Amino acid sequence: MRTWGKKEGEEGAATPDKTERLPKKKVAVLVGYNGAAYKGSQINPGIPTLEGAVFQALAKAGAISPDNSDDHQKVGLSRAARTDAGVHAAYNVLSLKMILSPPDKPAEQPLEDYLNTFLPPTIRIWTIIRVQGSFNPKNLCDQRQYEYTLPTHLFLGPKPGSALHAQLLKSRASAKTSPAFWAAQPEGSSFADDVKAKKGWRVSKPILEAAREFVTAYEGSHNYYNFTVGMDFRDRSAQRTMRKLEVSEPFVVDDVEYVSVGFLGQSFMLHQIRKMIALAILAVRTSTPASLVAETFGPSRIHIPKAPALGLILLGPQYGEYNKRVGESNVKLEELKAAKRLDEASFLEQKRDPLAIGEELDKNIQEFKKEMLLKKLWEQENQEATFSKWINYVDVFVGPDFEYLNPKGVIPASASAGKGQSQSGDKGRPAAVEGANEDVALPSDDEETAQGQEEG
């Protein structure tokens, strides 16, 4: 086994059971990643994850000693946000104790650049910042910012003849679900024909405003137990605060129109954003009013599918209060140094930088987001029609689960799985689906997580 010290027998060498160690420092590692090839972010033995890839790279680079390379808990690895399988991050924050001067790193090469040589281009370490000993990236995070990008054709109403279209006909005088678009399609058009036609569709201003009204209704502190899995209405951890949600102006990529929905919240539960997006899509495309949102915060349990992971990006955690504390501590250190009660070496050792993104680093992150996240998203959608498969799967689902999509925006008893109880089991099954997608997991996906698991 490799050791970090003088060879045994040399003058001053340590005895074999007391090998000299390179010093470890507690740091925050800001890392961006494309999560498409990974089963989530948190380390899970035997399963490819983002943290697993980063931890292995640090060990190969010598930033983690061989004695600690077999278990991430030995270096106290933790994270600000635990992203779901397939979800990306412009940057996330990891914290651990690591060696800042690996023995094989060229002296002139920045540590971040050296570490990135051990990682694929889809994972980038942006910066490494010394942090206070009490730093916890999750608990000290003030808020997290996410973005979900989706093609606007998801707001098209369900295809005539589908199960959801038939349900809408029962709940209102007419379906009111994009009749002009569907009337223009050949009778008996295939899934592939529909996908091709949808690319040319452009969202109208009224539909865009309806989407904005719906997502804005999520803002505030509410009980979001309906937007995760395995959680009871009475569980206090379901109370979350959404500070700001907004829908961008439409933009076109490869002839397909998209919008992005920004989420700024204190914290999010597992699948919460994907379910919030899914409900907004379902409501807007069926002319269900935004009053439905308030209903979902009540005790009636409803089934909400997950929108594809493909569109979700963690833009980054934010640490306003921690940075304020660091600033106050640095002022005191400056005063001690000025009073000659602290020498320069001790001052530099105790001084900490805020967890912030500078202008130059932000340019690199935005370029990574464009090339490695959004561009990959657009390419995958163009090749695999991920969003179209998902919405097609929703439309052919047979059962009363979506009867909350009605003109009154109320949840009928037929669409409720019970009062305040956690989801379990399937109430219905989708019909045979052309272009079906396993990502939708309708109507329940409890098997994926333990109760209360957080995304970030």
mmCIF file with all atom_site columns, all heavy atoms in Angstrom, residues 151-157 178 180-181 195-204 207-208 252 255-258:
data_model
loop_
_atom_site.group_PDB
_atom_site.id
_atom_site.type_symbol
_atom_site.label_atom_id
_atom_site.label_alt_id
_atom_site.label_comp_id
_atom_site.label_asym_id
_atom_site.label_entity_id
_atom_site.label_seq_id
_atom_site.pdbx_PDB_ins_code
_atom_site.Cartn_x
_atom_site.Cartn_y
_atom_site.Cartn_z
_atom_site.occupancy
_atom_site.B_iso_or_equiv
_atom_site.pdbx_formal_charge
_atom_site.auth_seq_id
_atom_site.auth_comp_id
_atom_site.auth_asym_id
_atom_site.auth_atom_id
_atom_site.pdbx_PDB_model_num
ATOM 1   N N   . PRO A 1 151 ? -40.406 21.380 -23.889 1.00 0.00 ? 151 PRO A N   1
ATOM 2   C CA  . PRO A 1 151 ? -40.968 21.850 -25.155 1.00 0.00 ? 151 PRO A CA  1
ATOM 3   C C   . PRO A 1 151 ? -42.398 22.346 -24.940 1.00 0.00 ? 151 PRO A C   1
ATOM 4   O O   . PRO A 1 151 ? -43.171 21.735 -24.194 1.00 0.00 ? 151 PRO A O   1
ATOM 5   C CB  . PRO A 1 151 ? -40.927 20.602 -26.052 1.00 0.00 ? 151 PRO A CB  1
ATOM 6   C CG  . PRO A 1 151 ? -40.904 19.450 -25.121 1.00 0.00 ? 151 PRO A CG  1
ATOM 7   C CD  . PRO A 1 151 ? -40.188 19.915 -23.888 1.00 0.00 ? 151 PRO A CD  1
ATOM 8   N N   . THR A 1 152 ? -42.748 23.440 -25.581 1.00 0.00 ? 152 THR A N   1
ATOM 9   C CA  . THR A 1 152 ? -44.081 24.013 -25.361 1.00 0.00 ? 152 THR A CA  1
ATOM 10  C C   . THR A 1 152 ? -45.197 23.136 -25.907 1.00 0.00 ? 152 THR A C   1
ATOM 11  O O   . THR A 1 152 ? -46.347 23.274 -25.475 1.00 0.00 ? 152 THR A O   1
ATOM 12  C CB  . THR A 1 152 ? -44.186 25.407 -26.007 1.00 0.00 ? 152 THR A CB  1
ATOM 13  O OG1 . THR A 1 152 ? -43.953 25.303 -27.422 1.00 0.00 ? 152 THR A OG1 1
ATOM 14  C CG2 . THR A 1 152 ? -43.188 26.378 -25.394 1.00 0.00 ? 152 THR A CG2 1
ATOM 15  N N   . HIS A 1 153 ? -44.880 22.210 -26.820 1.00 0.00 ? 153 HIS A N   1
ATOM 16  C CA  . HIS A 1 153 ? -45.949 21.369 -27.357 1.00 0.00 ? 153 HIS A CA  1
ATOM 17  C C   . HIS A 1 153 ? -46.547 20.434 -26.306 1.00 0.00 ? 153 HIS A C   1
ATOM 18  O O   . HIS A 1 153 ? -47.586 19.804 -26.543 1.00 0.00 ? 153 HIS A O   1
ATOM 19  C CB  . HIS A 1 153 ? -45.479 20.577 -28.583 1.00 0.00 ? 153 HIS A CB  1
ATOM 20  C CG  . HIS A 1 153 ? -44.372 19.588 -28.340 1.00 0.00 ? 153 HIS A CG  1
ATOM 21  N ND1 . HIS A 1 153 ? -44.531 18.478 -27.553 1.00 0.00 ? 153 HIS A ND1 1
ATOM 22  C CD2 . HIS A 1 153 ? -43.101 19.529 -28.823 1.00 0.00 ? 153 HIS A CD2 1
ATOM 23  C CE1 . HIS A 1 153 ? -43.409 17.768 -27.546 1.00 0.00 ? 153 HIS A CE1 1
ATOM 24  N NE2 . HIS A 1 153 ? -42.517 18.392 -28.295 1.00 0.00 ? 153 HIS A NE2 1
ATOM 25  N N   . LEU A 1 154 ? -45.926 20.362 -25.101 1.00 0.00 ? 154 LEU A N   1
ATOM 26  C CA  . LEU A 1 154 ? -46.541 19.603 -24.020 1.00 0.00 ? 154 LEU A CA  1
ATOM 27  C C   . LEU A 1 154 ? -47.847 20.244 -23.570 1.00 0.00 ? 154 LEU A C   1
ATOM 28  O O   . LEU A 1 154 ? -48.678 19.592 -22.927 1.00 0.00 ? 154 LEU A O   1
ATOM 29  C CB  . LEU A 1 154 ? -45.584 19.497 -22.834 1.00 0.00 ? 154 LEU A CB  1
ATOM 30  C CG  . LEU A 1 154 ? -44.354 18.606 -23.002 1.00 0.00 ? 154 LEU A CG  1
ATOM 31  C CD1 . LEU A 1 154 ? -43.519 18.600 -21.730 1.00 0.00 ? 154 LEU A CD1 1
ATOM 32  C CD2 . LEU A 1 154 ? -44.744 17.183 -23.375 1.00 0.00 ? 154 LEU A CD2 1
ATOM 33  N N   . PHE A 1 155 ? -48.047 21.533 -23.898 1.00 0.00 ? 155 PHE A N   1
ATOM 34  C CA  . PHE A 1 155 ? -49.283 22.212 -23.527 1.00 0.00 ? 155 PHE A CA  1
ATOM 35  C C   . PHE A 1 155 ? -50.416 21.928 -24.506 1.00 0.00 ? 155 PHE A C   1
ATOM 36  O O   . PHE A 1 155 ? -51.552 22.364 -24.277 1.00 0.00 ? 155 PHE A O   1
ATOM 37  C CB  . PHE A 1 155 ? -49.050 23.722 -23.433 1.00 0.00 ? 155 PHE A CB  1
ATOM 38  C CG  . PHE A 1 155 ? -48.107 24.131 -22.332 1.00 0.00 ? 155 PHE A CG  1
ATOM 39  C CD1 . PHE A 1 155 ? -47.039 24.977 -22.577 1.00 0.00 ? 155 PHE A CD1 1
ATOM 40  C CD2 . PHE A 1 155 ? -48.295 23.668 -21.037 1.00 0.00 ? 155 PHE A CD2 1
ATOM 41  C CE1 . PHE A 1 155 ? -46.161 25.357 -21.565 1.00 0.00 ? 155 PHE A CE1 1
ATOM 42  C CE2 . PHE A 1 155 ? -47.427 24.038 -20.017 1.00 0.00 ? 155 PHE A CE2 1
ATOM 43  C CZ  . PHE A 1 155 ? -46.359 24.882 -20.274 1.00 0.00 ? 155 PHE A CZ  1
ATOM 44  N N   . LEU A 1 156 ? -50.133 21.219 -25.598 1.00 0.00 ? 156 LEU A N   1
ATOM 45  C CA  . LEU A 1 156 ? -51.203 20.796 -26.498 1.00 0.00 ? 156 LEU A CA  1
ATOM 46  C C   . LEU A 1 156 ? -52.132 19.846 -25.758 1.00 0.00 ? 156 LEU A C   1
ATOM 47  O O   . LEU A 1 156 ? -51.690 19.000 -24.972 1.00 0.00 ? 156 LEU A O   1
ATOM 48  C CB  . LEU A 1 156 ? -50.624 20.078 -27.712 1.00 0.00 ? 156 LEU A CB  1
ATOM 49  C CG  . LEU A 1 156 ? -50.119 20.938 -28.868 1.00 0.00 ? 156 LEU A CG  1
ATOM 50  C CD1 . LEU A 1 156 ? -49.288 20.094 -29.826 1.00 0.00 ? 156 LEU A CD1 1
ATOM 51  C CD2 . LEU A 1 156 ? -51.299 21.566 -29.604 1.00 0.00 ? 156 LEU A CD2 1
ATOM 52  N N   . GLY A 1 157 ? -53.425 19.964 -26.028 1.00 0.00 ? 157 GLY A N   1
ATOM 53  C CA  . GLY A 1 157 ? -54.382 19.076 -25.382 1.00 0.00 ? 157 GLY A CA  1
ATOM 54  C C   . GLY A 1 157 ? -54.214 17.637 -25.835 1.00 0.00 ? 157 GLY A C   1
ATOM 55  O O   . GLY A 1 157 ? -53.570 17.356 -26.836 1.00 0.00 ? 157 GLY A O   1
ATOM 56  N N   . SER A 1 178 ? -56.997 22.034 -27.897 1.00 0.00 ? 178 SER A N   1
ATOM 57  C CA  . SER A 1 178 ? -56.279 22.243 -29.157 1.00 0.00 ? 178 SER A CA  1
ATOM 58  C C   . SER A 1 178 ? -56.987 21.607 -30.347 1.00 0.00 ? 178 SER A C   1
ATOM 59  O O   . SER A 1 178 ? -56.378 20.846 -31.113 1.00 0.00 ? 178 SER A O   1
ATOM 60  C CB  . SER A 1 178 ? -54.852 21.689 -29.042 1.00 0.00 ? 178 SER A CB  1
ATOM 61  O OG  . SER A 1 178 ? -54.231 22.117 -27.861 1.00 0.00 ? 178 SER A OG  1
ATOM 62  N N   . ALA A 1 180 ? -57.949 22.809 -33.216 1.00 0.00 ? 180 ALA A N   1
ATOM 63  C CA  . ALA A 1 180 ? -57.428 23.197 -34.526 1.00 0.00 ? 180 ALA A CA  1
ATOM 64  C C   . ALA A 1 180 ? -56.201 22.368 -34.897 1.00 0.00 ? 180 ALA A C   1
ATOM 65  O O   . ALA A 1 180 ? -56.061 21.911 -36.036 1.00 0.00 ? 180 ALA A O   1
ATOM 66  C CB  . ALA A 1 180 ? -57.091 24.685 -34.536 1.00 0.00 ? 180 ALA A CB  1
ATOM 67  N N   . PHE A 1 181 ? -55.314 22.158 -33.937 1.00 0.00 ? 181 PHE A N   1
ATOM 68  C CA  . PHE A 1 181 ? -54.109 21.370 -34.224 1.00 0.00 ? 181 PHE A CA  1
ATOM 69  C C   . PHE A 1 181 ? -54.474 19.942 -34.579 1.00 0.00 ? 181 PHE A C   1
ATOM 70  O O   . PHE A 1 181 ? -54.006 19.401 -35.585 1.00 0.00 ? 181 PHE A O   1
ATOM 71  C CB  . PHE A 1 181 ? -53.168 21.376 -33.010 1.00 0.00 ? 181 PHE A CB  1
ATOM 72  C CG  . PHE A 1 181 ? -51.996 20.448 -33.167 1.00 0.00 ? 181 PHE A CG  1
ATOM 73  C CD1 . PHE A 1 181 ? -50.864 20.856 -33.856 1.00 0.00 ? 181 PHE A CD1 1
ATOM 74  C CD2 . PHE A 1 181 ? -52.036 19.157 -32.641 1.00 0.00 ? 181 PHE A CD2 1
ATOM 75  C CE1 . PHE A 1 181 ? -49.785 19.988 -34.020 1.00 0.00 ? 181 PHE A CE1 1
ATOM 76  C CE2 . PHE A 1 181 ? -50.962 18.294 -32.790 1.00 0.00 ? 181 PHE A CE2 1
ATOM 77  C CZ  . PHE A 1 181 ? -49.835 18.716 -33.485 1.00 0.00 ? 181 PHE A CZ  1
ATOM 78  N N   . VAL A 1 195 ? -45.464 13.467 -33.464 1.00 0.00 ? 195 VAL A N   1
ATOM 79  C CA  . VAL A 1 195 ? -44.238 14.082 -32.963 1.00 0.00 ? 195 VAL A CA  1
ATOM 80  C C   . VAL A 1 195 ? -43.696 15.081 -33.971 1.00 0.00 ? 195 VAL A C   1
ATOM 81  O O   . VAL A 1 195 ? -43.297 16.205 -33.622 1.00 0.00 ? 195 VAL A O   1
ATOM 82  C CB  . VAL A 1 195 ? -43.177 13.012 -32.644 1.00 0.00 ? 195 VAL A CB  1
ATOM 83  C CG1 . VAL A 1 195 ? -41.820 13.660 -32.373 1.00 0.00 ? 195 VAL A CG1 1
ATOM 84  C CG2 . VAL A 1 195 ? -43.605 12.170 -31.446 1.00 0.00 ? 195 VAL A CG2 1
ATOM 85  N N   . LYS A 1 196 ? -43.691 14.703 -35.223 1.00 0.00 ? 196 LYS A N   1
ATOM 86  C CA  . LYS A 1 196 ? -43.200 15.592 -36.278 1.00 0.00 ? 196 LYS A CA  1
ATOM 87  C C   . LYS A 1 196 ? -44.049 16.849 -36.381 1.00 0.00 ? 196 LYS A C   1
ATOM 88  O O   . LYS A 1 196 ? -43.535 17.968 -36.522 1.00 0.00 ? 196 LYS A O   1
ATOM 89  C CB  . LYS A 1 196 ? -43.183 14.848 -37.614 1.00 0.00 ? 196 LYS A CB  1
ATOM 90  C CG  . LYS A 1 196 ? -42.575 15.642 -38.757 1.00 0.00 ? 196 LYS A CG  1
ATOM 91  C CD  . LYS A 1 196 ? -42.524 14.812 -40.034 1.00 0.00 ? 196 LYS A CD  1
ATOM 92  C CE  . LYS A 1 196 ? -41.903 15.612 -41.190 1.00 0.00 ? 196 LYS A CE  1
ATOM 93  N NZ  . LYS A 1 196 ? -41.849 14.789 -42.440 1.00 0.00 ? 196 LYS A NZ  1
ATOM 94  N N   . ALA A 1 197 ? -45.366 16.694 -36.295 1.00 0.00 ? 197 ALA A N   1
ATOM 95  C CA  . ALA A 1 197 ? -46.265 17.847 -36.391 1.00 0.00 ? 197 ALA A CA  1
ATOM 96  C C   . ALA A 1 197 ? -46.127 18.774 -35.192 1.00 0.00 ? 197 ALA A C   1
ATOM 97  O O   . ALA A 1 197 ? -46.180 20.003 -35.325 1.00 0.00 ? 197 ALA A O   1
ATOM 98  C CB  . ALA A 1 197 ? -47.709 17.362 -36.520 1.00 0.00 ? 197 ALA A CB  1
ATOM 99  N N   . LYS A 1 198 ? -45.922 18.195 -34.007 1.00 0.00 ? 198 LYS A N   1
ATOM 100 C CA  . LYS A 1 198 ? -45.810 19.001 -32.797 1.00 0.00 ? 198 LYS A CA  1
ATOM 101 C C   . LYS A 1 198 ? -44.613 19.949 -32.836 1.00 0.00 ? 198 LYS A C   1
ATOM 102 O O   . LYS A 1 198 ? -44.630 21.017 -32.211 1.00 0.00 ? 198 LYS A O   1
ATOM 103 C CB  . LYS A 1 198 ? -45.699 18.092 -31.566 1.00 0.00 ? 198 LYS A CB  1
ATOM 104 C CG  . LYS A 1 198 ? -46.999 17.399 -31.174 1.00 0.00 ? 198 LYS A CG  1
ATOM 105 C CD  . LYS A 1 198 ? -46.770 16.477 -29.979 1.00 0.00 ? 198 LYS A CD  1
ATOM 106 C CE  . LYS A 1 198 ? -48.057 15.795 -29.553 1.00 0.00 ? 198 LYS A CE  1
ATOM 107 N NZ  . LYS A 1 198 ? -47.842 14.888 -28.401 1.00 0.00 ? 198 LYS A NZ  1
ATOM 108 N N   . LYS A 1 199 ? -43.564 19.568 -33.546 1.00 0.00 ? 199 LYS A N   1
ATOM 109 C CA  . LYS A 1 199 ? -42.368 20.412 -33.611 1.00 0.00 ? 199 LYS A CA  1
ATOM 110 C C   . LYS A 1 199 ? -42.670 21.784 -34.196 1.00 0.00 ? 199 LYS A C   1
ATOM 111 O O   . LYS A 1 199 ? -41.998 22.764 -33.875 1.00 0.00 ? 199 LYS A O   1
ATOM 112 C CB  . LYS A 1 199 ? -41.283 19.711 -34.427 1.00 0.00 ? 199 LYS A CB  1
ATOM 113 C CG  . LYS A 1 199 ? -40.668 18.513 -33.734 1.00 0.00 ? 199 LYS A CG  1
ATOM 114 C CD  . LYS A 1 199 ? -39.534 17.908 -34.563 1.00 0.00 ? 199 LYS A CD  1
ATOM 115 C CE  . LYS A 1 199 ? -38.875 16.761 -33.825 1.00 0.00 ? 199 LYS A CE  1
ATOM 116 N NZ  . LYS A 1 199 ? -37.744 16.169 -34.597 1.00 0.00 ? 199 LYS A NZ  1
ATOM 117 N N   . GLY A 1 200 ? -43.660 21.852 -35.055 1.00 0.00 ? 200 GLY A N   1
ATOM 118 C CA  . GLY A 1 200 ? -43.986 23.125 -35.681 1.00 0.00 ? 200 GLY A CA  1
ATOM 119 C C   . GLY A 1 200 ? -44.992 23.961 -34.902 1.00 0.00 ? 200 GLY A C   1
ATOM 120 O O   . GLY A 1 200 ? -45.289 25.102 -35.293 1.00 0.00 ? 200 GLY A O   1
ATOM 121 N N   . TRP A 1 201 ? -45.516 23.414 -33.802 1.00 0.00 ? 201 TRP A N   1
ATOM 122 C CA  . TRP A 1 201 ? -46.518 24.142 -33.026 1.00 0.00 ? 201 TRP A CA  1
ATOM 123 C C   . TRP A 1 201 ? -45.855 25.204 -32.155 1.00 0.00 ? 201 TRP A C   1
ATOM 124 O O   . TRP A 1 201 ? -44.753 25.011 -31.635 1.00 0.00 ? 201 TRP A O   1
ATOM 125 C CB  . TRP A 1 201 ? -47.300 23.168 -32.143 1.00 0.00 ? 201 TRP A CB  1
ATOM 126 C CG  . TRP A 1 201 ? -48.480 23.781 -31.450 1.00 0.00 ? 201 TRP A CG  1
ATOM 127 C CD1 . TRP A 1 201 ? -49.687 24.089 -31.996 1.00 0.00 ? 201 TRP A CD1 1
ATOM 128 C CD2 . TRP A 1 201 ? -48.545 24.174 -30.076 1.00 0.00 ? 201 TRP A CD2 1
ATOM 129 N NE1 . TRP A 1 201 ? -50.518 24.630 -31.035 1.00 0.00 ? 201 TRP A NE1 1
ATOM 130 C CE2 . TRP A 1 201 ? -49.839 24.703 -29.850 1.00 0.00 ? 201 TRP A CE2 1
ATOM 131 C CE3 . TRP A 1 201 ? -47.641 24.123 -29.009 1.00 0.00 ? 201 TRP A CE3 1
ATOM 132 C CZ2 . TRP A 1 201 ? -50.253 25.170 -28.614 1.00 0.00 ? 201 TRP A CZ2 1
ATOM 133 C CZ3 . TRP A 1 201 ? -48.045 24.596 -27.771 1.00 0.00 ? 201 TRP A CZ3 1
ATOM 134 C CH2 . TRP A 1 201 ? -49.336 25.118 -27.572 1.00 0.00 ? 201 TRP A CH2 1
ATOM 135 N N   . ARG A 1 202 ? -46.512 26.348 -31.993 1.00 0.00 ? 202 ARG A N   1
ATOM 136 C CA  . ARG A 1 202 ? -45.996 27.431 -31.168 1.00 0.00 ? 202 ARG A CA  1
ATOM 137 C C   . ARG A 1 202 ? -47.051 27.845 -30.142 1.00 0.00 ? 202 ARG A C   1
ATOM 138 O O   . ARG A 1 202 ? -48.232 27.959 -30.464 1.00 0.00 ? 202 ARG A O   1
ATOM 139 C CB  . ARG A 1 202 ? -45.605 28.644 -32.036 1.00 0.00 ? 202 ARG A CB  1
ATOM 140 C CG  . ARG A 1 202 ? -44.508 28.338 -33.063 1.00 0.00 ? 202 ARG A CG  1
ATOM 141 C CD  . ARG A 1 202 ? -43.202 28.018 -32.378 1.00 0.00 ? 202 ARG A CD  1
ATOM 142 N NE  . ARG A 1 202 ? -42.107 27.721 -33.302 1.00 0.00 ? 202 ARG A NE  1
ATOM 143 C CZ  . ARG A 1 202 ? -41.674 26.503 -33.584 1.00 0.00 ? 202 ARG A CZ  1
ATOM 144 N NH1 . ARG A 1 202 ? -42.250 25.444 -33.027 1.00 0.00 ? 202 ARG A NH1 1
ATOM 145 N NH2 . ARG A 1 202 ? -40.665 26.319 -34.416 1.00 0.00 ? 202 ARG A NH2 1
ATOM 146 N N   . VAL A 1 203 ? -46.615 28.058 -28.930 1.00 0.00 ? 203 VAL A N   1
ATOM 147 C CA  . VAL A 1 203 ? -47.534 28.367 -27.850 1.00 0.00 ? 203 VAL A CA  1
ATOM 148 C C   . VAL A 1 203 ? -48.146 29.748 -28.047 1.00 0.00 ? 203 VAL A C   1
ATOM 149 O O   . VAL A 1 203 ? -47.460 30.692 -28.482 1.00 0.00 ? 203 VAL A O   1
ATOM 150 C CB  . VAL A 1 203 ? -46.808 28.272 -26.480 1.00 0.00 ? 203 VAL A CB  1
ATOM 151 C CG1 . VAL A 1 203 ? -45.781 29.388 -26.325 1.00 0.00 ? 203 VAL A CG1 1
ATOM 152 C CG2 . VAL A 1 203 ? -47.806 28.279 -25.332 1.00 0.00 ? 203 VAL A CG2 1
ATOM 153 N N   . SER A 1 204 ? -49.422 29.886 -27.726 1.00 0.00 ? 204 SER A N   1
ATOM 154 C CA  . SER A 1 204 ? -50.100 31.182 -27.822 1.00 0.00 ? 204 SER A CA  1
ATOM 155 C C   . SER A 1 204 ? -49.888 31.963 -26.534 1.00 0.00 ? 204 SER A C   1
ATOM 156 O O   . SER A 1 204 ? -49.546 31.404 -25.486 1.00 0.00 ? 204 SER A O   1
ATOM 157 C CB  . SER A 1 204 ? -51.601 30.979 -28.056 1.00 0.00 ? 204 SER A CB  1
ATOM 158 O OG  . SER A 1 204 ? -52.201 30.373 -26.925 1.00 0.00 ? 204 SER A OG  1
ATOM 159 N N   . ILE A 1 207 ? -52.142 30.749 -23.551 1.00 0.00 ? 207 ILE A N   1
ATOM 160 C CA  . ILE A 1 207 ? -51.680 29.503 -22.932 1.00 0.00 ? 207 ILE A CA  1
ATOM 161 C C   . ILE A 1 207 ? -50.443 29.765 -22.075 1.00 0.00 ? 207 ILE A C   1
ATOM 162 O O   . ILE A 1 207 ? -50.309 29.241 -20.971 1.00 0.00 ? 207 ILE A O   1
ATOM 163 C CB  . ILE A 1 207 ? -51.383 28.436 -24.007 1.00 0.00 ? 207 ILE A CB  1
ATOM 164 C CG1 . ILE A 1 207 ? -52.692 27.996 -24.672 1.00 0.00 ? 207 ILE A CG1 1
ATOM 165 C CG2 . ILE A 1 207 ? -50.666 27.239 -23.401 1.00 0.00 ? 207 ILE A CG2 1
ATOM 166 C CD1 . ILE A 1 207 ? -52.509 26.996 -25.786 1.00 0.00 ? 207 ILE A CD1 1
ATOM 167 N N   . LEU A 1 208 ? -49.550 30.607 -22.573 1.00 0.00 ? 208 LEU A N   1
ATOM 168 C CA  . LEU A 1 208 ? -48.346 30.941 -21.814 1.00 0.00 ? 208 LEU A CA  1
ATOM 169 C C   . LEU A 1 208 ? -48.709 31.653 -20.517 1.00 0.00 ? 208 LEU A C   1
ATOM 170 O O   . LEU A 1 208 ? -48.131 31.380 -19.454 1.00 0.00 ? 208 LEU A O   1
ATOM 171 C CB  . LEU A 1 208 ? -47.426 31.809 -22.662 1.00 0.00 ? 208 LEU A CB  1
ATOM 172 C CG  . LEU A 1 208 ? -46.032 32.094 -22.085 1.00 0.00 ? 208 LEU A CG  1
ATOM 173 C CD1 . LEU A 1 208 ? -45.248 30.797 -21.892 1.00 0.00 ? 208 LEU A CD1 1
ATOM 174 C CD2 . LEU A 1 208 ? -45.258 33.037 -22.999 1.00 0.00 ? 208 LEU A CD2 1
ATOM 175 N N   . VAL A 1 252 ? -36.630 28.939 -29.552 1.00 0.00 ? 252 VAL A N   1
ATOM 176 C CA  . VAL A 1 252 ? -36.663 27.822 -30.505 1.00 0.00 ? 252 VAL A CA  1
ATOM 177 C C   . VAL A 1 252 ? -35.269 27.236 -30.677 1.00 0.00 ? 252 VAL A C   1
ATOM 178 O O   . VAL A 1 252 ? -34.297 27.960 -30.888 1.00 0.00 ? 252 VAL A O   1
ATOM 179 C CB  . VAL A 1 252 ? -37.219 28.274 -31.874 1.00 0.00 ? 252 VAL A CB  1
ATOM 180 C CG1 . VAL A 1 252 ? -37.182 27.122 -32.881 1.00 0.00 ? 252 VAL A CG1 1
ATOM 181 C CG2 . VAL A 1 252 ? -38.652 28.794 -31.711 1.00 0.00 ? 252 VAL A CG2 1
ATOM 182 N N   . ASP A 1 255 ? -35.860 23.821 -34.449 1.00 0.00 ? 255 ASP A N   1
ATOM 183 C CA  . ASP A 1 255 ? -37.256 23.908 -34.894 1.00 0.00 ? 255 ASP A CA  1
ATOM 184 C C   . ASP A 1 255 ? -38.279 23.550 -33.814 1.00 0.00 ? 255 ASP A C   1
ATOM 185 O O   . ASP A 1 255 ? -39.479 23.496 -34.082 1.00 0.00 ? 255 ASP A O   1
ATOM 186 C CB  . ASP A 1 255 ? -37.507 23.029 -36.127 1.00 0.00 ? 255 ASP A CB  1
ATOM 187 C CG  . ASP A 1 255 ? -36.680 23.448 -37.317 1.00 0.00 ? 255 ASP A CG  1
ATOM 188 O OD1 . ASP A 1 255 ? -36.451 24.672 -37.471 1.00 0.00 ? 255 ASP A OD1 1
ATOM 189 O OD2 . ASP A 1 255 ? -36.243 22.570 -38.087 1.00 0.00 ? 255 ASP A OD2 1
ATOM 190 N N   . VAL A 1 256 ? -37.835 23.285 -32.599 1.00 0.00 ? 256 VAL A N   1
ATOM 191 C CA  . VAL A 1 256 ? -38.741 22.979 -31.495 1.00 0.00 ? 256 VAL A CA  1
ATOM 192 C C   . VAL A 1 256 ? -38.751 24.151 -30.528 1.00 0.00 ? 256 VAL A C   1
ATOM 193 O O   . VAL A 1 256 ? -37.700 24.676 -30.165 1.00 0.00 ? 256 VAL A O   1
ATOM 194 C CB  . VAL A 1 256 ? -38.320 21.695 -30.750 1.00 0.00 ? 256 VAL A CB  1
ATOM 195 C CG1 . VAL A 1 256 ? -39.254 21.426 -29.570 1.00 0.00 ? 256 VAL A CG1 1
ATOM 196 C CG2 . VAL A 1 256 ? -38.305 20.505 -31.698 1.00 0.00 ? 256 VAL A CG2 1
ATOM 197 N N   . GLU A 1 257 ? -39.944 24.565 -30.102 1.00 0.00 ? 257 GLU A N   1
ATOM 198 C CA  . GLU A 1 257 ? -40.066 25.680 -29.172 1.00 0.00 ? 257 GLU A CA  1
ATOM 199 C C   . GLU A 1 257 ? -40.028 25.173 -27.726 1.00 0.00 ? 257 GLU A C   1
ATOM 200 O O   . GLU A 1 257 ? -40.651 24.157 -27.391 1.00 0.00 ? 257 GLU A O   1
ATOM 201 C CB  . GLU A 1 257 ? -41.383 26.419 -29.416 1.00 0.00 ? 257 GLU A CB  1
ATOM 202 C CG  . GLU A 1 257 ? -41.541 27.684 -28.568 1.00 0.00 ? 257 GLU A CG  1
ATOM 203 C CD  . GLU A 1 257 ? -42.866 28.373 -28.835 1.00 0.00 ? 257 GLU A CD  1
ATOM 204 O OE1 . GLU A 1 257 ? -43.927 27.774 -28.518 1.00 0.00 ? 257 GLU A OE1 1
ATOM 205 O OE2 . GLU A 1 257 ? -42.841 29.500 -29.352 1.00 0.00 ? 257 GLU A OE2 1
ATOM 206 N N   . TYR A 1 258 ? -39.269 25.895 -26.886 1.00 0.00 ? 258 TYR A N   1
ATOM 207 C CA  . TYR A 1 258 ? -39.124 25.538 -25.475 1.00 0.00 ? 258 TYR A CA  1
ATOM 208 C C   . TYR A 1 258 ? -39.425 26.740 -24.586 1.00 0.00 ? 258 TYR A C   1
ATOM 209 O O   . TYR A 1 258 ? -39.368 27.896 -25.021 1.00 0.00 ? 258 TYR A O   1
ATOM 210 C CB  . TYR A 1 258 ? -37.687 25.082 -25.167 1.00 0.00 ? 258 TYR A CB  1
ATOM 211 C CG  . TYR A 1 258 ? -37.266 23.782 -25.791 1.00 0.00 ? 258 TYR A CG  1
ATOM 212 C CD1 . TYR A 1 258 ? -36.781 23.738 -27.099 1.00 0.00 ? 258 TYR A CD1 1
ATOM 213 C CD2 . TYR A 1 258 ? -37.336 22.592 -25.070 1.00 0.00 ? 258 TYR A CD2 1
ATOM 214 C CE1 . TYR A 1 258 ? -36.373 22.532 -27.672 1.00 0.00 ? 258 TYR A CE1 1
ATOM 215 C CE2 . TYR A 1 258 ? -36.921 21.390 -25.625 1.00 0.00 ? 258 TYR A CE2 1
ATOM 216 C CZ  . TYR A 1 258 ? -36.444 21.363 -26.927 1.00 0.00 ? 258 TYR A CZ  1
ATOM 217 O OH  . TYR A 1 258 ? -36.037 20.175 -27.487 1.00 0.00 ? 258 TYR A OH  1
#
